[in-house]
């Protein structure tokens, strides 16, 4: 019995020593930062869900209760309220009390149809085509290659070609991110002795249109997958500054991928 008692005392003493040592060397700020890293995916899905429920759009001009938003979106009032509280903790919305919420500068960037919106980016990057491959990152590192085909069943762009809605979302997401960059490039690039501006993988043609707006004498070519062709033409015609004069499909070897080339001219 004495040996058992002695062992228990020894074990307790060792535990207290280890815990004391850990508490003395552990930096609380490091723990907080690490916890934020580990739980980072929570934030991505909170933002995605808020956008999916159009919360930034609902709060653009008025404050609303969770119940009012839930009624508009046919969502559960209780979980909608919990989502809004989570959004408030991140600065996505502001809590005004009495279950009422309002928009913030951050939610303004997640509205639909506003310049430089990140709405589509939030939906695309936290959606299936991007989210699921990230789950296989350990395998990608161990095997030394992408795991997209293992997850999606095909390469990324073939996957999008079979899903026009996701393809349109992806293109819109990139357009929202690159809009500022496109304007900077268009203002900076030297077009002296240049007659044609070509963007390979130009999605909806935002960069080419930006260059032609500042250099109307140029001819522009936008090359991308056929799934983006209709949107690229619509965007050009919507600007009312361009004539999407011609478009045709071209094949690129050795990939065998089919692209659509749209020619733009300033009018």
């Amino acid at each position: 019995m004495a040996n058992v008692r002695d062992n228990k005392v020894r074990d307790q003493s060792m535990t207290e020593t280890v815990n004391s040592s850990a508490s003395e060397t552990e930096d609380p700020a490091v723990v907080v930062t690490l916890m934020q890293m580990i739980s980072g995916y929570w934030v991505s899905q909170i933002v995605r869900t808020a956008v999916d429920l159009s919360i930034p759009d609902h709060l653009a001009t008025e404050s609303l209760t969770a119940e009012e938003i839930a009624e508009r979106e046919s969502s559960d009032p209780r979980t909608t309220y919990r989502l809004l509280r989570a959004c408030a903790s991140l600065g996505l919305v502001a809590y005004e009390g009495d279950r009422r919420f309002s928009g913030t500068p951050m939610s303004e960037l997640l509205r639909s149809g506003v310049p430089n919106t990140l709405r589509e980016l939030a939906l695309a990057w936290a959606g299936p085509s991007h989210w699921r491959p990230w789950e296989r990152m350990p395998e990608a590192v161990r095997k030394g290659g992408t795991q997209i085909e293992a997850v999606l069943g095909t390469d990324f762009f073939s996957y999008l070609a079979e899903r026009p809605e996701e393809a349109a979302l992806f293109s819109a997401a990139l357009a929202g991110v690159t809009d500022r960059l496109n304007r900077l490039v268009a203002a900076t690039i030297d077009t002296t002795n240049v007659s044609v501006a070509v963007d390979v993988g130009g999605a909806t043609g935002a960069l080419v249109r930006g260059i032609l707006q500042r250099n109307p004498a140029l001819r522009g070519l936008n090359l991308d997958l056929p799934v983006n062709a209709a949107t690229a033409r619509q965007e050009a015609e919507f600007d009312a500054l361009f004539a999407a004069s011609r478009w045709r499909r071209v094949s690129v070897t050795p990939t065998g991928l089919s692209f659509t080339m749209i020619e733009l001219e300033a009018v």
Side-chain angles (χ1 to χ4, degrees):
M1 292 291 293
N3 288 338
V4 173
R5 190 182 305 110
D6 291 342
N7 288 339
K8 287 184 177 179
V9 172
R10 188 182 305 111
D11 290 344
Q12 182 178 359
S13 177
M14 290 178 63
T15 301
E16 291 175 351
T17 300
V18 171
N19 290 340
S20 175
S21 177
S23 63
E24 290 175 0
T25 60
E26 188 177 86
D27 184 349
V30 172
V31 176
V32 171
T33 300
L34 186 57
M35 286 296 296
Q36 289 174 337
M37 291 180 181
I38 294 172
S39 61
Y41 71 99
W42 299 356
V43 176
S44 300
Q45 291 299 339
I46 288 171
V47 176
R48 177 197 178 199
T49 306
V51 171
D52 186 69
L53 268 64
S54 300
I55 288 174
D57 291 323
H58 292 311
L59 299 180
T61 58
E62 59 182 334
S63 62
L64 297 169
T65 65
E67 288 73 21
E68 289 171 328
I69 293 176
E71 183 178 0
R72 295 183 182 185
E73 290 295 321
S74 299
S75 59
D76 179 78
R78 181 179 60 87
T79 51
T80 301
Y81 177 71
R82 294 182 66 182
L83 171 65
L84 285 163
R85 290 301 299 263
C87 290
S89 72
L90 297 170
L92 293 171
V93 302
Y95 182 57
E96 298 185 349
D98 296 328
R99 302 177 71 85
R100 186 169 293 275
F101 299 84
S102 59
T104 66
M106 200 175 292
S107 66
E108 184 70 15
L109 288 173
L110 293 171
R111 289 178 55 197
S112 58
V114 299
N116 306 316
T117 180
L118 298 178
R119 175 184 181 276
E120 285 77 15
L121 188 71
L123 293 172
W125 280 12
S129 63
H130 283 72
W131 190 263
R132 291 176 57 203
W134 275 98
E135 296 175 353
R136 300 290 294 267
M137 188 172 181
E139 289 87 346
V141 175
R142 291 181 182 278
K143 297 179 180 179
T146 177
Q147 294 295 300
I148 289 179
E149 292 188 10
V151 175
L152 302 182
T154 184
D155 67 272
F156 180 69
F157 289 104
S158 295
Y159 172 89
L160 291 182
E162 297 171 358
R163 295 164 178 80
E165 289 186 4
E166 284 195 51
L169 181 65
F170 177 68
S171 294
L174 293 185
V177 172
T178 60
D179 186 59
R180 295 182 183 87
L181 179 61
N182 287 341
R183 292 199 299 270
L184 178 62
V185 171
T188 304
I189 193 170
D190 183 7
T191 60
T192 304
N193 298 323
V194 174
S195 59
V196 181
V198 181
D199 189 3
V200 179
T204 59
L207 177 57
V208 170
R209 295 199 309 274
I211 293 175
L212 265 63
Q213 283 176 339
R214 298 187 66 90
N215 305 273
L218 295 181
R219 188 165 58 95
L221 297 177
N222 187 70
L223 186 69
D224 208 289
L225 297 175
V227 69
N228 288 321
T231 303
R233 288 174 60 87
Q234 290 171 2
E235 291 287 337
E237 292 166 359
F238 179 78
D239 279 350
L241 295 173
F242 307 100
S245 54
R246 289 183 293 276
W247 66 327
R248 65 178 186 272
R249 289 197 174 188
V250 295
S251 294
V252 178
T253 55
T255 63
L257 290 175
S258 177
F259 290 85
T260 296
M261 183 167 63
I262 298 180
E263 182 174 354
L264 299 175
E265 294 178 345
V267 293

